[in-house]
Amino acid sequence: MRRQIEEHNWRYYVQDDPVITDSEYDRLLRELESLETSYPEYRTADSPTQRIGGAVRSGFGSVRHKMPLYSLANAFNTQELLDFDRRVRNITGLEQVEYVVELKIDGVAVSLTYEQGRFTQGATRGDGVSGEDISDNLRTIRSLPLRLQTQHELPSVVEVRGEVFMPKEAFANLNAEREEAGEAVFANPRNAAAGSLRQLEAKVTARRALDIFIYGIGAIDRLTILSHWEWLQQLQRWGFKINTHNKLMMGIESVVDYCLSWQRQRQELPYAIDGLVVKVNDLRSQHRLGSTAKSPRWAVAYKFPAEQAKTRLKEIVVTVGRTGVLTPTALFDPPVRLAGTLVGKAVLHNEDIIRARDIRVGDLVRVEKAGDIIPEVVATIPEHRSGQERVFVMPTLCPACGAEVVKLPEEVAWRCPNVSCPARLRESLIHFGSRGAMDIDGLGPATIDQLLENRLVKNVADLYGLTQTALVQLPRLGDKSAANLIAAIDASRNRDLDRLLFALGIRYVGATAARALAKHFGSIKALMKANSDDLLSISGIGAKITASIQDFFGEERNLSTIKRLEEAGVNMVKASPPPTTSQRLAGKTFVLTGALAAFTRAQAQAAIEKRGGKVTDSISRRTSFVVAGNNPGSK
């Protein structure tokens, strides 16, 4: 059981990829604690019951906390809350105890250090003694003050504790994006927040819409306040974001009522909570109560019971997303009520999850909402199988167009490679006409929707067969707009080869890779004939891009599209550079940051590369120049 729990710890804290729910993990840990209580001679110092949290992940510097960052003991029902209060009163000698009750945010505990009022370092909880240095990533969170607000003298050093979280809407959007990209989805908001904080590039974290609540003080060079509630008010005056639902209460009865009220209404919040935290308010009483090796005796976390329902998994259907990803979805009979809504289906995400959980068509299954948001099949109930259940197999052909589906290295999703698949055509057209690709002015989403609704376009190559006469028949598209769109489409025939390669939407082939491919091969026909060794010999083209290119050109429908584009007069070769182009930037590496006054980012990159220079996203020892525009980032 210890080995099993350690495996789940590693997946949860280090990989941010749990395979069981929080409630299942809590049940396992409780069972181990019970065994060790009954047989104390078998309890060891390295048991999971004696640990505070997870390990420090490699790739980040280690930070030693000025004070240990403990985890909390749990109470799973009201009786355990009453037992906690009884222990507190026995030690303190108080008849009634004043408590602060706070929402338990489903996020990541962090420690923040401020010196002379300025944010200097931030770290994860880690093992409670040391955590990962994630200072740069924390700086991307807009609600975290980089400088404390005060009119009075500040402590020279103060360490505060908070919870970084991802709002429900941002969590749902991120998982939808990852699913469309063929990437593994996050199990819950906590794992999404942890995965975002552990990015080695802060710009990825900045896109993740993280937020933070501050809930307490760690180390401080002088102690002038004597209650936790007063500290919360002081933290708010310093500019920290404090949860507005914190309550100061006298006696455990009102605490119990408050916990039960949030158990009923937690779905109304824009962020996920998995319980409430109850803390003794008086700091002198906290000191008297002390701590165990892993948790303080003056606080407890009341955990909500998992809301689950049983139902029959009637069928698994497969849909094709806008980027070609095939997604299996479970249909339930009957639908079940969870977290206030009727749930009739749940996305199963990918084949790996179905295999890992041994989900079969016809199974009786347990369903819950991950983070009270997304319906999820958490487990099957094998003992109820009749023998009629069917093992699910992903289709080998795209349900929308019949193309043979592919699975790229390091991806969990199967994908339709056909750029003109009906299920992904709208997205393909938007990308094809975008500024960085074929730059067809006037071909926006609204116009594309009209073209599709009126069946004027069934393939990206159909754009070059459009006529002004056909376009003027569309609502809200007059003679002038139609003429301008035809002119823009016509002008796009002469774009350079790298723009076409990018426009085709080959998986993992962005603008930089497209330029490298165009420069090396010189024509799309040469690229189509390239083998793995040819592709891998190009700087910046690895195994994943190579496999994607070969899968793309291995699809007959894509070859047909390219042939039609060529017949329409679209340029298929790299233009020769003007003979007067200077190579004065050869060997120099540039990093661009902020908004540039005279160029778009793409124009600046093109100008640098035309003169022999190279543009990268991050600063390294090879960087020659940083070009800083308005509102530059930390670079």
Side-chain angles (χ1 to χ4, degrees):
M1 181 170 281
R2 286 172 180 155
R3 286 195 299 270
Q4 185 181 2
I5 291 173
E6 284 292 1
E7 170 71 14
H8 290 308
N9 265 335
W10 177 77
R11 294 192 69 97
Y12 187 89
Y13 288 106
V14 179
Q15 297 298 104
D16 303 318
D17 183 29
V19 292
I20 62 172
T21 63
D22 287 356
S23 57
E24 289 175 297
Y25 175 83
D26 289 338
R27 181 185 59 77
L28 283 173
L29 195 62
R30 277 255 157 154
E31 188 176 347
L32 180 59
E33 287 173 343
S34 176
L35 285 168
E36 291 180 345
T37 300
S38 300
Y39 305 97
E41 64 271 26
Y42 296 121
R43 182 187 292 124
T44 60
D46 62 353
S47 170
T49 62
Q50 308 303 305
R51 290 168 61 92
I52 291 177
V56 177
R57 181 185 280 185
S58 61
F60 294 92
S62 179
V63 175
R64 189 172 183 86
H65 302 306
K66 293 177 173 57
M67 286 183 64
L69 190 53
Y70 291 113
S71 57
L72 296 175
N74 293 322
F76 291 97
N77 52 54
T78 55
Q79 182 56 52
E80 292 183 359
L81 278 178
L82 297 174
D83 291 343
F84 164 74
D85 174 68
R86 176 179 47 78
R87 291 193 297 270
V88 168
R89 288 186 289 107
N90 286 344
I91 293 174
T92 60
L94 298 170
E95 289 187 14
Q96 265 200 326
V97 180
E98 191 174 46
Y99 292 107
V100 177
V101 188
E102 304 166 2
L103 301 188
K104 187 175 182 298
I105 311 299
D106 193 10
V108 181
V110 295
S111 178
L112 313 172
T113 300
Y114 288 78
E115 298 179 12
Q116 306 301 331
R118 293 178 182 273
F119 174 66
T120 56
Q121 193 169 63
T124 61
R125 183 203 305 276
D127 61 8
V129 177
S130 298
E132 299 148 334
D133 187 344
I134 53 169
S135 305
D136 288 344
N137 292 345
L138 286 167
R139 286 189 178 93
T140 69
I141 301 175
R142 299 297 179 87
S143 53
L144 187 152
L146 300 181
R147 187 172 185 174
L148 302 185
Q149 303 170 9
T150 182
Q151 302 297 321
H152 306 288
E153 184 183 354
L154 283 164
S156 58
V157 178
V158 60
E159 186 183 46
V160 302
R161 271 70 195 271
E163 194 84 6
V164 174
F165 64 95
M166 182 174 286
K168 289 179 179 178
E169 184 178 1
F171 170 64
N173 291 340
L174 176 61
N175 264 357
E177 290 172 9
R178 290 178 69 84
E179 197 149 64
E180 285 292 352
E183 300 170 341
V185 295
F186 288 110
N188 52 50
R190 184 265 164 206
N191 289 109
S196 301
L197 282 177
R198 285 166 155 166
Q199 295 294 320
L200 294 178
E201 291 194 33
K203 67 178 183 179
V204 178
T205 306
R207 294 197 296 265
R208 295 286 178 85
L210 296 177
D211 206 341
I212 187 170
F213 285 123
I214 301 301
Y215 59 76
I217 288 286
I220 190 168
D221 61 355
R222 62 179 185 277
L223 190 65
T224 58
I225 293 177
L226 298 179
S227 77
H228 178 65
W229 185 256
E230 289 178 76
W231 264 124
L232 291 177
Q233 313 313 305
Q234 179 60 64
L235 288 166
Q236 192 165 29
R237 287 192 292 270
W238 281 343
F240 290 110
K241 185 173 181 177
I242 308 298
N243 196 293
T244 57
H245 298 294
N246 294 341
K247 288 283 185 181
L248 180 63
M249 297 180 164
M250 180 59 75
I252 195 65
E253 291 78 11
S254 55
V255 170
V256 169
D257 290 343
Y258 196 58
C259 289
L260 294 178
S261 71
W262 275 111
Q263 190 168 309
R264 294 187 293 269
Q265 63 180 334
R266 67 184 196 252
Q267 290 84 15
E268 300 170 14
L269 292 166
Y271 45 84
I273 63 172
D274 57 357
L276 287 93
V277 177
V278 181
K279 300 176 181 177
V280 173
N281 184 40
D282 181 65
L283 298 186
R284 289 165 296 189
S285 295
Q286 286 188 12
H287 181 72
R288 193 177 311 153
L289 288 159
S291 302
T292 68
K294 63 175 289 188
S295 58
R297 293 191 180 93
W298 46 265
V300 70
Y302 173 74
K303 299 287 289 288
F304 294 142
E307 186 179 357
Q308 293 186 343
K310 294 179 184 178
T311 186
R312 188 71 61 182
L313 195 161
K314 182 180 179 181
E315 191 56 79
I316 297 177
V317 298
V318 176
T319 56
V320 184
R322 59 185 178 84
T323 60
V325 169
L326 274 63
T327 302
T329 299
L331 305 182
F332 304 135
D333 185 20
V336 291
R337 187 163 291 279
L338 282 173
T341 61
L342 198 64
V343 175
K345 61 183 179 180
V347 175
L348 297 174
H349 303 300
N350 58 66
E351 190 178 27
D352 291 355
I353 288 178
I354 295 173
R355 294 283 174 270
R357 297 180 185 176
D358 191 22
I359 298 170
R360 305 182 187 182
V361 176
D363 267 338
L364 190 67
V365 294
R366 287 206 303 269
V367 184
E368 68 178 51
K369 280 190 173 181
D372 292 333
I373 309 164
I374 300 173
E376 179 181 17
V377 176
V378 295
T380 61
I381 308 176
E383 58 267 29
H384 286 268
R385 285 177 177 160
S386 65
Q388 302 300 309
E389 294 77 16
R390 290 184 288 113
V391 174
F392 174 75
V393 179
M394 285 291 285
T396 57
L397 302 179
C398 171
C401 73
E404 188 173 343
V405 299
V406 297
K407 190 176 185 181
L408 299 178
E410 301 178 16
E411 281 200 353
V412 296
W414 289 92
R415 182 185 300 275
C416 172
N418 178 14
V419 70
S420 295
C421 174
R424 56 180 297 201
L425 181 56
R426 182 180 186 271
E427 189 70 17
S428 295
L429 288 167
I430 291 172
H431 176 69
F432 190 86
S434 64
R435 184 169 295 179
M438 299 301 274
D439 194 13
I440 303 176
D441 190 31
L443 189 68
T447 301
I448 287 170
D449 287 340
Q450 291 192 70
L451 293 174
L452 294 174
E453 287 166 13
N454 289 273
R455 300 183 180 180
L456 294 177
V457 175
K458 297 180 181 178
N459 182 294
V460 292
D462 289 337
L463 291 171
Y464 295 94
L466 293 173
T467 64
Q468 186 172 343
T469 304
L471 291 178
V472 295
Q473 305 301 318
L474 300 178
R476 302 182 299 280
L477 204 68
D479 286 336
K480 185 174 181 180
S481 296
N484 289 340
L485 179 54
I486 292 296
I489 292 172
D490 190 52
S492 73
R493 299 176 203 265
N494 300 315
R495 303 286 182 239
D496 203 355
L497 175 59
D498 65 294
R499 303 283 289 273
L500 174 62
L501 293 177
F502 179 53
L504 287 173
I506 305 170
R507 185 74 176 145
Y508 299 124
V509 176
T512 302
R515 281 191 291 272
L517 292 167
K519 182 178 180 181
H520 184 86
F521 291 105
S523 74
I524 200 164
K525 288 184 178 179
L527 173 59
M528 289 161 63
K529 294 176 183 176
N531 59 34
S532 297
D533 291 339
D534 295 334
L535 292 164
L536 290 169
S537 68
I538 304 169
S539 175
I541 305 297
K544 192 159 63 171
I545 298 178
T546 295
S548 178
I549 292 169
Q550 292 182 323
D551 283 332
F552 183 87
F553 289 121
E555 170 54 48
E556 286 295 329
R557 292 164 179 82
N558 292 336
L559 299 181
S560 174
T561 297
I562 292 167
K563 183 178 179 181
R564 290 186 57 202
L565 289 170
E566 185 176 20
E567 290 170 350
V570 175
N571 175 53
M572 297 278 159
V573 298
K574 178 173 174 57
S576 300
T580 56
T581 301
S582 165
Q583 292 295 296
R584 62 185 300 213
L585 302 183
K588 304 296 184 185
T589 300
F590 292 75
V591 174
L592 310 178
T593 181
L596 307 181
F599 296 89
T600 65
R601 188 69 64 89
Q603 288 170 339
Q605 182 166 342
I608 290 168
E609 291 175 346
K610 186 181 290 185
R611 290 159 179 80
K614 180 181 177 182
V615 177
T616 61
D617 289 332
S618 56
I619 292 173
S620 71
R621 60 184 179 182
R622 297 184 181 88
T623 302
S624 311
F625 297 95
V626 175
V627 181
N630 293 325
N631 300 314
S634 60
K635 295 169 185 173

